[in-house]
Short mmCIF file of all heavy atoms in Angstrom, two decimals:
data_model
loop_
_atom_site.label_atom_id
_atom_site.label_comp_id
_atom_site.label_asym_id
_atom_site.label_seq_id
_atom_site.Cartn_x
_atom_site.Cartn_y
_atom_site.Cartn_z
N MET D 499 -16.66 -22.43 4.21
CA MET D 499 -15.94 -21.21 4.33
C MET D 499 -16.35 -20.21 3.24
O MET D 499 -16.47 -20.58 2.07
CB MET D 499 -14.40 -21.47 4.18
CG MET D 499 -13.57 -20.18 4.26
SD MET D 499 -11.85 -20.44 3.71
CE MET D 499 -11.30 -21.59 4.95
N LYS D 500 -16.60 -18.96 3.67
CA LYS D 500 -16.92 -17.93 2.68
C LYS D 500 -15.60 -17.54 2.02
O LYS D 500 -14.68 -17.13 2.67
CB LYS D 500 -17.53 -16.72 3.39
CG LYS D 500 -17.83 -15.55 2.43
CD LYS D 500 -18.43 -14.39 3.19
CE LYS D 500 -18.80 -13.25 2.24
NZ LYS D 500 -17.64 -12.77 1.49
N LEU D 501 -15.58 -17.70 0.73
CA LEU D 501 -14.33 -17.39 0.03
C LEU D 501 -14.14 -15.90 -0.14
O LEU D 501 -15.06 -15.15 -0.44
CB LEU D 501 -14.30 -18.06 -1.37
CG LEU D 501 -14.06 -19.56 -1.33
CD1 LEU D 501 -14.04 -20.08 -2.75
CD2 LEU D 501 -12.74 -19.90 -0.65
N SER D 502 -12.95 -15.47 0.07
CA SER D 502 -12.60 -14.08 -0.10
C SER D 502 -12.64 -13.74 -1.59
O SER D 502 -12.40 -14.58 -2.45
CB SER D 502 -11.19 -13.82 0.39
OG SER D 502 -10.68 -12.62 -0.12
N PRO D 503 -12.99 -12.49 -1.93
CA PRO D 503 -12.92 -12.08 -3.33
C PRO D 503 -11.53 -12.11 -3.87
O PRO D 503 -11.30 -12.05 -5.09
CB PRO D 503 -13.49 -10.65 -3.34
CG PRO D 503 -13.35 -10.18 -1.90
CD PRO D 503 -13.48 -11.42 -1.06
N ILE D 504 -10.54 -12.20 -2.99
CA ILE D 504 -9.16 -12.23 -3.48
C ILE D 504 -8.46 -13.50 -3.01
O ILE D 504 -7.29 -13.49 -2.69
CB ILE D 504 -8.37 -10.97 -3.05
CG1 ILE D 504 -8.52 -10.76 -1.57
CG2 ILE D 504 -8.80 -9.77 -3.87
CD1 ILE D 504 -7.57 -9.68 -1.04
N SER D 505 -9.21 -14.60 -3.01
CA SER D 505 -8.60 -15.85 -2.66
C SER D 505 -7.69 -16.38 -3.73
O SER D 505 -6.82 -17.22 -3.50
CB SER D 505 -9.66 -16.91 -2.32
OG SER D 505 -10.53 -17.07 -3.43
N ASN D 506 -7.86 -15.88 -4.96
CA ASN D 506 -7.04 -16.36 -6.07
C ASN D 506 -6.62 -15.20 -6.96
O ASN D 506 -6.97 -15.18 -8.17
CB ASN D 506 -7.79 -17.43 -6.84
CG ASN D 506 -6.89 -18.12 -7.82
OD1 ASN D 506 -5.70 -18.23 -7.61
ND2 ASN D 506 -7.44 -18.63 -8.96
N PRO D 507 -5.87 -14.22 -6.40
CA PRO D 507 -5.44 -13.13 -7.24
C PRO D 507 -4.44 -13.59 -8.24
O PRO D 507 -3.88 -14.68 -8.14
CB PRO D 507 -4.81 -12.17 -6.23
CG PRO D 507 -4.40 -13.01 -5.10
CD PRO D 507 -5.42 -14.12 -5.04
N PRO D 508 -4.14 -12.78 -9.29
CA PRO D 508 -3.13 -13.16 -10.27
C PRO D 508 -1.85 -13.56 -9.61
O PRO D 508 -1.40 -12.95 -8.62
CB PRO D 508 -2.96 -11.89 -11.13
CG PRO D 508 -4.21 -11.13 -10.91
CD PRO D 508 -4.70 -11.44 -9.49
N GLU D 509 -1.21 -14.60 -10.14
CA GLU D 509 0.02 -15.09 -9.51
C GLU D 509 1.22 -14.32 -10.04
O GLU D 509 1.48 -14.31 -11.26
CB GLU D 509 0.21 -16.58 -9.84
CG GLU D 509 -0.90 -17.45 -9.21
CD GLU D 509 -0.66 -18.93 -9.48
OE1 GLU D 509 0.44 -19.25 -9.98
OE2 GLU D 509 -1.57 -19.70 -9.19
N PRO D 510 1.96 -13.68 -9.14
CA PRO D 510 3.20 -13.01 -9.59
C PRO D 510 4.16 -14.04 -10.20
O PRO D 510 4.17 -15.21 -9.78
CB PRO D 510 3.78 -12.43 -8.30
CG PRO D 510 2.70 -12.47 -7.27
CD PRO D 510 1.76 -13.60 -7.72
N THR D 511 4.99 -13.62 -11.12
CA THR D 511 5.90 -14.55 -11.76
C THR D 511 6.91 -15.07 -10.77
O THR D 511 7.47 -16.17 -10.98
CB THR D 511 6.62 -13.91 -12.91
OG1 THR D 511 7.26 -12.70 -12.43
CG2 THR D 511 5.67 -13.51 -14.03
N ASN D 512 7.13 -14.35 -9.69
CA ASN D 512 8.16 -14.80 -8.72
C ASN D 512 7.46 -15.45 -7.49
O ASN D 512 8.05 -15.47 -6.40
CB ASN D 512 9.06 -13.65 -8.29
CG ASN D 512 8.29 -12.52 -7.64
OD1 ASN D 512 7.09 -12.48 -7.66
ND2 ASN D 512 9.04 -11.59 -7.00
N LEU D 513 6.21 -15.88 -7.66
CA LEU D 513 5.51 -16.51 -6.55
C LEU D 513 6.17 -17.84 -6.19
O LEU D 513 6.36 -18.73 -6.99
CB LEU D 513 4.04 -16.73 -6.96
CG LEU D 513 3.14 -17.39 -5.88
CD1 LEU D 513 2.99 -16.47 -4.69
CD2 LEU D 513 1.78 -17.75 -6.48
N LEU D 514 6.50 -17.98 -4.93
CA LEU D 514 7.12 -19.21 -4.41
C LEU D 514 6.09 -20.07 -3.67
O LEU D 514 6.05 -21.28 -3.86
CB LEU D 514 8.27 -18.86 -3.46
CG LEU D 514 9.47 -18.10 -4.06
CD1 LEU D 514 10.45 -17.72 -2.95
CD2 LEU D 514 10.18 -18.96 -5.09
N ILE D 515 5.32 -19.44 -2.81
CA ILE D 515 4.35 -20.17 -2.01
C ILE D 515 3.09 -19.31 -1.86
O ILE D 515 3.19 -18.10 -1.67
CB ILE D 515 4.89 -20.44 -0.57
CG1 ILE D 515 6.23 -21.16 -0.60
CG2 ILE D 515 3.88 -21.25 0.24
CD1 ILE D 515 6.94 -21.20 0.76
N ARG D 516 1.94 -19.95 -1.98
CA ARG D 516 0.70 -19.25 -1.68
C ARG D 516 0.02 -19.96 -0.52
O ARG D 516 -0.33 -21.12 -0.60
CB ARG D 516 -0.22 -19.20 -2.93
CG ARG D 516 -1.61 -18.64 -2.61
CD ARG D 516 -2.34 -18.17 -3.86
NE ARG D 516 -1.78 -16.90 -4.30
CZ ARG D 516 -2.11 -16.30 -5.47
NH1 ARG D 516 -3.01 -16.89 -6.24
NH2 ARG D 516 -1.58 -15.17 -5.80
N LEU D 517 -0.21 -19.22 0.54
CA LEU D 517 -0.98 -19.72 1.68
C LEU D 517 -2.32 -18.99 1.67
O LEU D 517 -2.51 -18.05 0.89
CB LEU D 517 -0.25 -19.44 3.00
CG LEU D 517 1.17 -19.96 3.13
CD1 LEU D 517 2.19 -18.91 2.90
CD2 LEU D 517 1.38 -20.58 4.52
N HIS D 518 -3.24 -19.42 2.51
CA HIS D 518 -4.50 -18.72 2.65
C HIS D 518 -4.77 -18.47 4.13
O HIS D 518 -4.56 -19.33 4.96
CB HIS D 518 -5.65 -19.47 2.01
CG HIS D 518 -5.52 -19.59 0.53
ND1 HIS D 518 -4.90 -20.61 -0.12
CD2 HIS D 518 -5.93 -18.70 -0.45
CE1 HIS D 518 -4.94 -20.39 -1.42
NE2 HIS D 518 -5.53 -19.25 -1.67
N ASN D 519 -5.30 -17.28 4.43
CA ASN D 519 -5.59 -16.98 5.80
C ASN D 519 -6.89 -17.60 6.22
O ASN D 519 -7.49 -18.41 5.49
CB ASN D 519 -5.56 -15.45 6.05
CG ASN D 519 -6.75 -14.74 5.47
OD1 ASN D 519 -7.67 -15.33 4.92
ND2 ASN D 519 -6.75 -13.42 5.58
N GLN D 520 -7.37 -17.23 7.41
CA GLN D 520 -8.58 -17.90 7.99
C GLN D 520 -9.84 -17.74 7.14
O GLN D 520 -10.73 -18.55 7.25
CB GLN D 520 -8.83 -17.39 9.40
CG GLN D 520 -7.71 -17.82 10.38
CD GLN D 520 -8.18 -17.76 11.82
OE1 GLN D 520 -9.36 -17.57 12.09
NE2 GLN D 520 -7.26 -17.87 12.73
N VAL D 521 -9.85 -16.70 6.33
CA VAL D 521 -11.07 -16.49 5.52
C VAL D 521 -10.76 -16.55 4.03
O VAL D 521 -11.53 -16.14 3.20
CB VAL D 521 -11.69 -15.09 5.85
CG1 VAL D 521 -12.27 -15.11 7.23
CG2 VAL D 521 -10.69 -13.98 5.70
N GLY D 522 -9.64 -17.18 3.71
CA GLY D 522 -9.39 -17.55 2.32
C GLY D 522 -8.60 -16.57 1.50
O GLY D 522 -8.39 -16.79 0.30
N ALA D 523 -8.21 -15.44 2.09
CA ALA D 523 -7.42 -14.45 1.28
C ALA D 523 -5.99 -15.01 1.12
O ALA D 523 -5.43 -15.65 2.04
CB ALA D 523 -7.38 -13.09 2.02
N ALA D 524 -5.44 -14.75 -0.03
CA ALA D 524 -4.12 -15.25 -0.33
C ALA D 524 -3.03 -14.52 0.44
O ALA D 524 -3.06 -13.30 0.58
CB ALA D 524 -3.84 -15.14 -1.81
N VAL D 525 -2.08 -15.28 0.93
CA VAL D 525 -0.85 -14.72 1.53
C VAL D 525 0.31 -15.26 0.72
O VAL D 525 0.55 -16.49 0.74
CB VAL D 525 -0.72 -15.13 3.02
CG1 VAL D 525 0.58 -14.53 3.60
CG2 VAL D 525 -1.90 -14.71 3.81
N ASP D 526 0.92 -14.39 -0.05
CA ASP D 526 1.94 -14.84 -1.01
C ASP D 526 3.34 -14.66 -0.52
O ASP D 526 3.71 -13.56 0.02
CB ASP D 526 1.81 -14.04 -2.33
CG ASP D 526 0.59 -14.44 -3.15
OD1 ASP D 526 -0.06 -15.48 -2.77
OD2 ASP D 526 0.25 -13.78 -4.11
N VAL D 527 4.15 -15.66 -0.73
CA VAL D 527 5.62 -15.54 -0.52
C VAL D 527 6.25 -15.43 -1.91
O VAL D 527 6.06 -16.29 -2.73
CB VAL D 527 6.19 -16.76 0.22
CG1 VAL D 527 7.69 -16.68 0.29
CG2 VAL D 527 5.58 -16.90 1.61
N THR D 528 6.96 -14.35 -2.12
CA THR D 528 7.54 -14.08 -3.41
C THR D 528 9.02 -13.89 -3.33
O THR D 528 9.54 -13.60 -2.25
CB THR D 528 6.89 -12.83 -4.10
OG1 THR D 528 7.05 -11.72 -3.20
CG2 THR D 528 5.41 -13.03 -4.39
N GLY D 529 9.70 -14.00 -4.46
CA GLY D 529 11.11 -13.76 -4.49
C GLY D 529 11.87 -14.94 -5.06
O GLY D 529 11.41 -15.59 -6.02
N THR D 530 12.99 -15.23 -4.44
CA THR D 530 13.82 -16.36 -4.86
C THR D 530 14.22 -17.17 -3.63
O THR D 530 14.00 -16.73 -2.48
CB THR D 530 15.10 -15.89 -5.56
OG1 THR D 530 16.00 -15.35 -4.59
CG2 THR D 530 14.80 -14.84 -6.64
N THR D 531 14.76 -18.33 -3.89
CA THR D 531 15.23 -19.17 -2.77
C THR D 531 16.61 -18.77 -2.31
O THR D 531 17.16 -19.37 -1.38
CB THR D 531 15.25 -20.65 -3.18
OG1 THR D 531 16.09 -20.80 -4.32
CG2 THR D 531 13.84 -21.13 -3.55
N ALA D 532 17.16 -17.73 -2.92
CA ALA D 532 18.51 -17.29 -2.53
C ALA D 532 18.48 -16.72 -1.08
O ALA D 532 17.46 -16.34 -0.57
CB ALA D 532 18.99 -16.21 -3.46
N TYR D 533 19.65 -16.72 -0.47
CA TYR D 533 19.76 -16.12 0.86
C TYR D 533 19.27 -14.68 0.82
O TYR D 533 19.67 -13.91 -0.03
CB TYR D 533 21.24 -16.18 1.29
CG TYR D 533 21.50 -15.60 2.67
CD1 TYR D 533 20.88 -16.18 3.81
CD2 TYR D 533 22.31 -14.52 2.82
CE1 TYR D 533 21.11 -15.65 5.06
CE2 TYR D 533 22.53 -13.99 4.07
CZ TYR D 533 21.93 -14.55 5.20
OH TYR D 533 22.16 -14.03 6.44
N LEU D 534 18.41 -14.34 1.76
CA LEU D 534 17.80 -13.00 1.82
C LEU D 534 17.15 -12.65 0.50
O LEU D 534 17.34 -11.55 -0.03
CB LEU D 534 18.87 -11.95 2.17
CG LEU D 534 19.57 -12.15 3.52
CD1 LEU D 534 20.50 -11.01 3.82
CD2 LEU D 534 18.54 -12.30 4.67
N GLY D 535 16.34 -13.57 -0.05
CA GLY D 535 15.72 -13.34 -1.36
C GLY D 535 14.21 -13.30 -1.38
O GLY D 535 13.62 -13.17 -2.46
N SER D 536 13.54 -13.37 -0.23
CA SER D 536 12.10 -13.51 -0.28
C SER D 536 11.40 -12.55 0.65
O SER D 536 11.97 -12.02 1.61
CB SER D 536 11.67 -14.97 0.04
OG SER D 536 12.14 -15.29 1.35
N ARG D 537 10.11 -12.33 0.35
CA ARG D 537 9.26 -11.50 1.21
C ARG D 537 7.85 -12.06 1.13
O ARG D 537 7.53 -12.89 0.27
CB ARG D 537 9.28 -10.03 0.79
CG ARG D 537 8.83 -9.81 -0.62
CD ARG D 537 8.57 -8.33 -0.95
NE ARG D 537 9.59 -7.42 -0.46
CZ ARG D 537 10.49 -6.80 -1.23
NH1 ARG D 537 10.44 -6.96 -2.54
NH2 ARG D 537 11.38 -6.01 -0.72
N TRP D 538 6.96 -11.59 2.03
CA TRP D 538 5.57 -12.07 1.99
C TRP D 538 4.62 -10.87 1.99
O TRP D 538 4.98 -9.76 2.39
CB TRP D 538 5.25 -13.00 3.14
CG TRP D 538 5.36 -12.41 4.52
CD1 TRP D 538 6.45 -12.36 5.31
CD2 TRP D 538 4.31 -11.73 5.25
NE1 TRP D 538 6.18 -11.72 6.49
CE2 TRP D 538 4.86 -11.32 6.50
CE3 TRP D 538 2.95 -11.46 5.01
CZ2 TRP D 538 4.10 -10.66 7.44
CZ3 TRP D 538 2.21 -10.79 5.95
CH2 TRP D 538 2.79 -10.42 7.18
N HIS D 539 3.41 -11.10 1.49
CA HIS D 539 2.37 -10.07 1.42
C HIS D 539 1.02 -10.68 1.57
O HIS D 539 0.71 -11.72 0.93
CB HIS D 539 2.51 -9.36 0.06
CG HIS D 539 1.35 -8.38 -0.15
ND1 HIS D 539 0.54 -8.48 -1.25
CD2 HIS D 539 0.86 -7.38 0.56
CE1 HIS D 539 -0.36 -7.54 -1.21
NE2 HIS D 539 -0.19 -6.86 -0.12
N CYS D 540 0.20 -10.13 2.45
CA CYS D 540 -1.14 -10.60 2.66
C CYS D 540 -2.15 -9.80 1.86
O CYS D 540 -2.26 -8.58 2.04
CB CYS D 540 -1.48 -10.55 4.16
SG CYS D 540 -3.17 -11.08 4.54
N HIS D 541 -2.93 -10.50 1.02
CA HIS D 541 -3.95 -9.80 0.23
C HIS D 541 -5.21 -9.50 1.05
O HIS D 541 -6.08 -8.80 0.60
CB HIS D 541 -4.35 -10.63 -1.01
CG HIS D 541 -3.22 -10.73 -2.01
ND1 HIS D 541 -3.12 -9.90 -3.07
CD2 HIS D 541 -2.16 -11.57 -2.08
CE1 HIS D 541 -2.03 -10.22 -3.79
NE2 HIS D 541 -1.44 -11.24 -3.23
N GLY D 542 -5.28 -10.09 2.22
CA GLY D 542 -6.47 -9.86 3.08
C GLY D 542 -6.40 -8.54 3.85
O GLY D 542 -7.36 -7.81 3.89
N CYS D 543 -5.27 -8.25 4.45
CA CYS D 543 -5.18 -7.08 5.29
C CYS D 543 -4.12 -6.07 4.83
O CYS D 543 -4.03 -4.98 5.37
CB CYS D 543 -4.88 -7.45 6.74
SG CYS D 543 -3.18 -8.08 7.02
N GLY D 544 -3.29 -6.45 3.87
CA GLY D 544 -2.28 -5.59 3.37
C GLY D 544 -0.95 -5.65 4.11
O GLY D 544 -0.02 -4.95 3.73
N ASP D 545 -0.92 -6.46 5.15
CA ASP D 545 0.38 -6.58 5.89
C ASP D 545 1.42 -7.25 5.01
O ASP D 545 1.06 -8.00 4.06
CB ASP D 545 0.13 -7.39 7.17
CG ASP D 545 1.19 -7.13 8.22
OD1 ASP D 545 2.07 -6.25 7.97
OD2 ASP D 545 1.12 -7.74 9.27
N ARG D 546 2.65 -7.02 5.33
CA ARG D 546 3.72 -7.57 4.52
C ARG D 546 5.00 -7.67 5.37
O ARG D 546 5.03 -7.21 6.51
CB ARG D 546 3.97 -6.71 3.30
CG ARG D 546 4.37 -5.28 3.59
CD ARG D 546 4.57 -4.45 2.34
NE ARG D 546 3.37 -4.29 1.53
CZ ARG D 546 3.23 -4.66 0.24
NH1 ARG D 546 4.28 -5.21 -0.37
NH2 ARG D 546 2.13 -4.51 -0.39
N SER D 547 6.04 -8.20 4.73
CA SER D 547 7.34 -8.23 5.40
C SER D 547 7.75 -6.81 5.78
O SER D 547 7.35 -5.85 5.12
CB SER D 547 8.40 -8.76 4.46
OG SER D 547 8.09 -10.08 4.02
N ASP D 548 8.52 -6.71 6.82
CA ASP D 548 9.10 -5.42 7.16
C ASP D 548 9.91 -4.92 5.99
O ASP D 548 10.86 -5.58 5.59
CB ASP D 548 9.94 -5.56 8.41
CG ASP D 548 9.12 -5.94 9.61
OD1 ASP D 548 7.91 -5.59 9.62
OD2 ASP D 548 9.67 -6.54 10.54
N MET D 549 9.53 -3.81 5.47
CA MET D 549 10.24 -3.29 4.28
C MET D 549 11.45 -2.52 4.72
O MET D 549 11.47 -1.88 5.73
CB MET D 549 9.31 -2.37 3.51
CG MET D 549 8.04 -3.05 2.98
SD MET D 549 8.45 -4.32 1.76
CE MET D 549 8.60 -3.27 0.33
N PRO D 550 12.48 -2.49 3.88
CA PRO D 550 12.60 -3.17 2.60
C PRO D 550 13.27 -4.55 2.75
O PRO D 550 13.78 -5.06 1.76
CB PRO D 550 13.52 -2.24 1.79
CG PRO D 550 14.44 -1.68 2.89
CD PRO D 550 13.64 -1.62 4.14
N ALA D 551 13.21 -5.09 3.93
CA ALA D 551 14.00 -6.28 4.18
C ALA D 551 13.54 -7.46 3.35
O ALA D 551 12.36 -7.71 3.17
CB ALA D 551 13.92 -6.63 5.65
N LEU D 552 14.52 -8.18 2.84
CA LEU D 552 14.29 -9.50 2.30
C LEU D 552 14.86 -10.50 3.28
O LEU D 552 15.89 -10.23 3.88
CB LEU D 552 14.95 -9.64 0.92
CG LEU D 552 14.34 -8.82 -0.21
CD1 LEU D 552 15.27 -8.85 -1.42
CD2 LEU D 552 12.98 -9.35 -0.56
N ASP D 553 14.19 -11.62 3.40
CA ASP D 553 14.63 -12.61 4.39
C ASP D 553 14.87 -13.94 3.67
O ASP D 553 14.49 -14.13 2.54
CB ASP D 553 13.59 -12.80 5.47
CG ASP D 553 13.47 -11.57 6.39
OD1 ASP D 553 14.53 -11.15 6.89
OD2 ASP D 553 12.37 -11.07 6.57
N SER D 554 15.48 -14.83 4.43
CA SER D 554 15.66 -16.18 3.86
C SER D 554 14.31 -16.89 3.80
O SER D 554 13.35 -16.59 4.57
CB SER D 554 16.64 -16.97 4.76
OG SER D 554 16.08 -17.13 6.02
N LEU D 555 14.19 -17.81 2.88
CA LEU D 555 12.90 -18.43 2.61
C LEU D 555 12.33 -19.14 3.84
O LEU D 555 11.14 -19.05 4.13
CB LEU D 555 12.98 -19.42 1.44
CG LEU D 555 11.71 -20.12 1.06
CD1 LEU D 555 10.60 -19.11 0.72
CD2 LEU D 555 11.93 -21.04 -0.11
N SER D 556 13.20 -19.79 4.62
CA SER D 556 12.69 -20.53 5.79
C SER D 556 12.08 -19.53 6.79
O SER D 556 11.04 -19.83 7.39
CB SER D 556 13.81 -21.36 6.45
OG SER D 556 14.85 -20.49 6.89
N PHE D 557 12.72 -18.37 6.93
CA PHE D 557 12.16 -17.38 7.84
C PHE D 557 10.85 -16.79 7.27
O PHE D 557 9.87 -16.64 7.96
CB PHE D 557 13.21 -16.27 8.05
CG PHE D 557 12.74 -15.19 8.96
CD1 PHE D 557 12.85 -15.29 10.34
CD2 PHE D 557 12.23 -13.97 8.44
CE1 PHE D 557 12.42 -14.28 11.19
CE2 PHE D 557 11.78 -12.97 9.27
CZ PHE D 557 11.91 -13.12 10.66
N THR D 558 10.90 -16.42 6.01
CA THR D 558 9.71 -15.82 5.37
C THR D 558 8.50 -16.76 5.40
O THR D 558 7.40 -16.38 5.67
CB THR D 558 10.02 -15.42 3.90
OG1 THR D 558 11.19 -14.61 3.89
CG2 THR D 558 8.86 -14.69 3.29
N ARG D 559 8.79 -18.03 5.13
CA ARG D 559 7.71 -19.02 5.09
C ARG D 559 7.08 -19.13 6.48
O ARG D 559 5.84 -19.23 6.61
CB ARG D 559 8.31 -20.36 4.65
CG ARG D 559 7.30 -21.52 4.61
CD ARG D 559 7.94 -22.76 4.00
NE ARG D 559 9.17 -23.05 4.68
CZ ARG D 559 10.25 -23.63 4.06
NH1 ARG D 559 10.22 -23.87 2.79
NH2 ARG D 559 11.35 -23.87 4.74
N ARG D 560 7.93 -19.16 7.53
CA ARG D 560 7.38 -19.26 8.86
C ARG D 560 6.56 -18.03 9.21
O ARG D 560 5.47 -18.14 9.79
CB ARG D 560 8.54 -19.46 9.86
CG ARG D 560 8.05 -19.72 11.27
CD ARG D 560 9.15 -20.18 12.19
NE ARG D 560 10.05 -19.12 12.52
CZ ARG D 560 11.32 -19.06 12.17
NH1 ARG D 560 11.88 -20.02 11.41
NH2 ARG D 560 12.10 -18.01 12.48
N LYS D 561 7.06 -16.85 8.90
CA LYS D 561 6.32 -15.63 9.21
C LYS D 561 5.03 -15.54 8.44
O LYS D 561 4.00 -15.14 9.01
CB LYS D 561 7.19 -14.42 8.92
CG LYS D 561 8.47 -14.31 9.74
CD LYS D 561 8.19 -14.21 11.22
CE LYS D 561 7.70 -12.87 11.63
NZ LYS D 561 7.59 -12.73 13.10
N ALA D 562 5.05 -15.96 7.17
CA ALA D 562 3.82 -15.88 6.39
C ALA D 562 2.80 -16.87 6.91
O ALA D 562 1.61 -16.58 6.96
CB ALA D 562 4.15 -16.19 4.93
N ASN D 563 3.28 -18.03 7.32
CA ASN D 563 2.36 -19.04 7.83
C ASN D 563 1.75 -18.62 9.17
O ASN D 563 0.57 -18.76 9.40
CB ASN D 563 3.08 -20.39 7.99
CG ASN D 563 2.12 -21.49 8.25
OD1 ASN D 563 1.14 -21.69 7.54
ND2 ASN D 563 2.37 -22.27 9.29
N GLU D 564 2.58 -17.97 10.01
CA GLU D 564 2.07 -17.47 11.26
C GLU D 564 1.01 -16.38 11.00
O GLU D 564 -0.01 -16.34 11.68
CB GLU D 564 3.23 -16.87 12.09
CG GLU D 564 4.12 -17.94 12.67
CD GLU D 564 5.37 -17.36 13.36
OE1 GLU D 564 5.51 -16.10 13.37
OE2 GLU D 564 6.17 -18.11 13.87
N HIS D 565 1.28 -15.52 10.03
CA HIS D 565 0.34 -14.47 9.70
C HIS D 565 -0.97 -15.05 9.17
O HIS D 565 -2.06 -14.66 9.59
CB HIS D 565 0.92 -13.49 8.66
CG HIS D 565 -0.06 -12.39 8.39
ND1 HIS D 565 -0.20 -11.26 9.13
CD2 HIS D 565 -0.98 -12.28 7.38
CE1 HIS D 565 -1.17 -10.52 8.67
NE2 HIS D 565 -1.66 -11.10 7.61
N ALA D 566 -0.88 -16.02 8.28
CA ALA D 566 -2.07 -16.66 7.71
C ALA D 566 -2.92 -17.31 8.79
O ALA D 566 -4.14 -17.32 8.75
CB ALA D 566 -1.68 -17.68 6.65
N THR D 567 -2.29 -17.85 9.78
CA THR D 567 -2.97 -18.51 10.90
C THR D 567 -3.79 -17.50 11.74
O THR D 567 -4.86 -17.77 12.19
CB THR D 567 -1.96 -19.24 11.83
OG1 THR D 567 -1.29 -20.21 11.03
CG2 THR D 567 -2.68 -19.92 12.96
N ASP D 568 -3.22 -16.29 11.89
CA ASP D 568 -3.85 -15.30 12.73
C ASP D 568 -4.80 -14.35 12.02
O ASP D 568 -5.71 -13.82 12.61
CB ASP D 568 -2.77 -14.43 13.38
CG ASP D 568 -1.96 -15.18 14.42
OD1 ASP D 568 -2.46 -16.21 14.90
OD2 ASP D 568 -0.81 -14.77 14.67
N CYS D 569 -4.59 -14.14 10.70
CA CYS D 569 -5.29 -13.09 10.01
C CYS D 569 -6.71 -13.49 9.62
O CYS D 569 -6.95 -14.55 9.08
CB CYS D 569 -4.48 -12.70 8.75
SG CYS D 569 -5.24 -11.32 7.83
N ARG D 570 -7.66 -12.57 9.85
CA ARG D 570 -9.08 -12.83 9.50
C ARG D 570 -9.58 -11.80 8.53
O ARG D 570 -10.79 -11.67 8.32
CB ARG D 570 -9.91 -12.86 10.74
CG ARG D 570 -9.77 -14.12 11.57
CD ARG D 570 -10.64 -14.08 12.81
NE ARG D 570 -10.06 -13.27 13.84
CZ ARG D 570 -9.18 -13.67 14.76
NH1 ARG D 570 -8.76 -14.91 14.74
NH2 ARG D 570 -8.69 -12.84 15.62
N ALA D 571 -8.74 -11.03 7.90
CA ALA D 571 -9.16 -9.97 6.97
C ALA D 571 -9.34 -10.61 5.58
O ALA D 571 -8.51 -11.39 5.13
CB ALA D 571 -8.12 -8.86 6.90
N SER D 572 -10.40 -10.21 4.91
CA SER D 572 -10.66 -10.80 3.57
C SER D 572 -10.35 -9.84 2.45
O SER D 572 -10.22 -10.21 1.32
CB SER D 572 -12.11 -11.20 3.48
OG SER D 572 -12.98 -10.08 3.62
N TYR D 573 -10.21 -8.55 2.80
CA TYR D 573 -10.01 -7.63 1.69
C TYR D 573 -9.54 -6.28 2.29
O TYR D 573 -9.91 -5.91 3.37
CB TYR D 573 -11.30 -7.38 0.93
CG TYR D 573 -11.15 -6.65 -0.41
CD1 TYR D 573 -10.56 -7.32 -1.47
CD2 TYR D 573 -11.52 -5.34 -0.51
CE1 TYR D 573 -10.41 -6.66 -2.68
CE2 TYR D 573 -11.35 -4.69 -1.75
CZ TYR D 573 -10.76 -5.34 -2.79
OH TYR D 573 -10.63 -4.73 -4.00
N HIS D 574 -8.72 -5.61 1.54
CA HIS D 574 -8.29 -4.27 2.02
C HIS D 574 -8.24 -3.33 0.86
O HIS D 574 -8.07 -3.71 -0.29
CB HIS D 574 -6.91 -4.35 2.69
CG HIS D 574 -5.75 -4.59 1.75
ND1 HIS D 574 -5.12 -3.57 1.11
CD2 HIS D 574 -5.18 -5.75 1.33
CE1 HIS D 574 -4.16 -4.07 0.35
NE2 HIS D 574 -4.19 -5.36 0.44
N ARG D 575 -8.42 -2.06 1.18
CA ARG D 575 -8.37 -1.03 0.15
C ARG D 575 -7.31 -0.01 0.53
O ARG D 575 -7.44 1.20 0.27
CB ARG D 575 -9.72 -0.35 0.00
CG ARG D 575 -10.77 -1.24 -0.61
CD ARG D 575 -12.10 -0.52 -0.73
NE ARG D 575 -13.17 -1.39 -1.17
CZ ARG D 575 -13.47 -1.71 -2.40
NH1 ARG D 575 -12.74 -1.21 -3.36
NH2 ARG D 575 -14.45 -2.49 -2.71
N LEU D 576 -6.27 -0.50 1.17
CA LEU D 576 -5.21 0.38 1.55
C LEU D 576 -4.38 0.74 0.34
O LEU D 576 -4.21 -0.07 -0.56
CB LEU D 576 -4.32 -0.28 2.60
CG LEU D 576 -5.06 -0.82 3.82
CD1 LEU D 576 -4.09 -1.59 4.73
CD2 LEU D 576 -5.73 0.30 4.57
N GLY D 577 -3.88 1.96 0.34
CA GLY D 577 -3.07 2.36 -0.79
C GLY D 577 -1.78 1.75 -0.74
O GLY D 577 -1.16 0.99 -1.22
ZN1 ZN V 696 -3.40 -10.43 6.71
#
């Protein structure tokens, strides 16, 4: 696998789970384990949780994992 230039970006202090998409870009689940305390963000394509919603970890984990399975972007320069 060709590793993405952002396969290992700096870890946020509130990082809960790091997944990797199909080309190795990090998909981070951040926040807390509290009810409605977490969100996800893909370093490959810039996609993220619907803002400003925070979701429960079980929901966020499932959505992040589904995104990592589908996403093939390795880098984005979106603002
Ligand atoms: Zn993505």
